[in-house]
Amino acid sequence: MREVDFPAVVAAALHDSGLSPHRLTVEITESVAVGGGATHDNLQNLRAMGVRLSLDDFGTGASTLSLLTACPVHQIKLDRSSVPDRGSDAIADAVAHMAHAFGLQAVAEGIETEAGRARWTMHWKPVLNAFAITFGDRWPAAETC
């Protein structure tokens, strides 16, 4: 991501494969997102190409909330450590509201039970225009949100 020609490499791979740019999501961590310089330019260029960008493991790194205003991502992925099966929902609630305020999609990782799915679907759906919940291998795609 720090290499100046990274968007050109991605563009060539998309061309060679015939994959539409909007079907590709590049996941980055907070440490990559705060890299500055070529990294920021590359993220901007990838987004301009139509590639989707996801900020993975949101909230687990050493970032600031201002990252959401500076980083051109489409999605934030809440790490499974912040999506408890029981207990306080404060972190997940805050992330859901921030995602909504910034017009981002939010993904809650690590939800693997029907009870967890029902809880987070009810919890996040009223707040977000778009959201996703990831499951283990047990959940058919047709049953996910």
Side-chain angles (χ1 to χ4, degrees):
M1 185 62 68
R2 292 181 175 103
E3 300 298 322
V4 175
D5 65 341
F6 184 73
V9 172
V10 172
L14 289 169
H15 179 267
D16 292 348
S17 69
L19 183 69
S20 177
H22 78 277
R23 305 284 295 166
L24 175 63
T25 299
V26 174
E27 292 186 3
I28 59 170
T29 61
E30 292 173 342
S31 60
V32 170
V34 297
T39 299
H40 186 264
D41 293 343
N42 286 343
L43 292 172
Q44 292 286 8
N45 290 334
L46 290 171
R47 185 177 175 110
M49 288 171 29
V51 172
R52 295 184 46 78
L53 303 170
S54 179
L55 188 57
D56 196 22
D57 297 335
F58 182 75
T60 61
S63 69
T64 65
L65 294 179
S66 64
L67 178 62
L68 293 177
T69 62
C71 189
V73 296
H74 297 89
Q75 177 185 83
I76 53 177
K77 293 177 75 176
L78 184 62
D79 185 71
R80 73 179 306 134
S81 65
S82 300
V83 183
D85 282 334
R86 57 187 178 278
S88 176
D89 299 334
I91 293 172
D93 284 345
V95 170
H97 283 87
M98 282 189 304
H100 178 70
F102 285 102
L104 302 173
Q105 181 185 35
V107 174
E109 294 183 310
I111 297 172
E112 298 175 347
T113 65
E114 176 60 35
R117 179 176 79 114
R119 176 176 175 221
W120 290 102
T121 299
M122 177 185 69
H123 208 53
W124 281 22
K125 204 166 191 169
V127 180
L128 302 172
N129 294 326
F131 74 104
I133 298 174
T134 62
F135 294 92
D137 295 335
R138 299 182 293 189
W139 297 97
E143 293 183 21
T144 61
C145 301

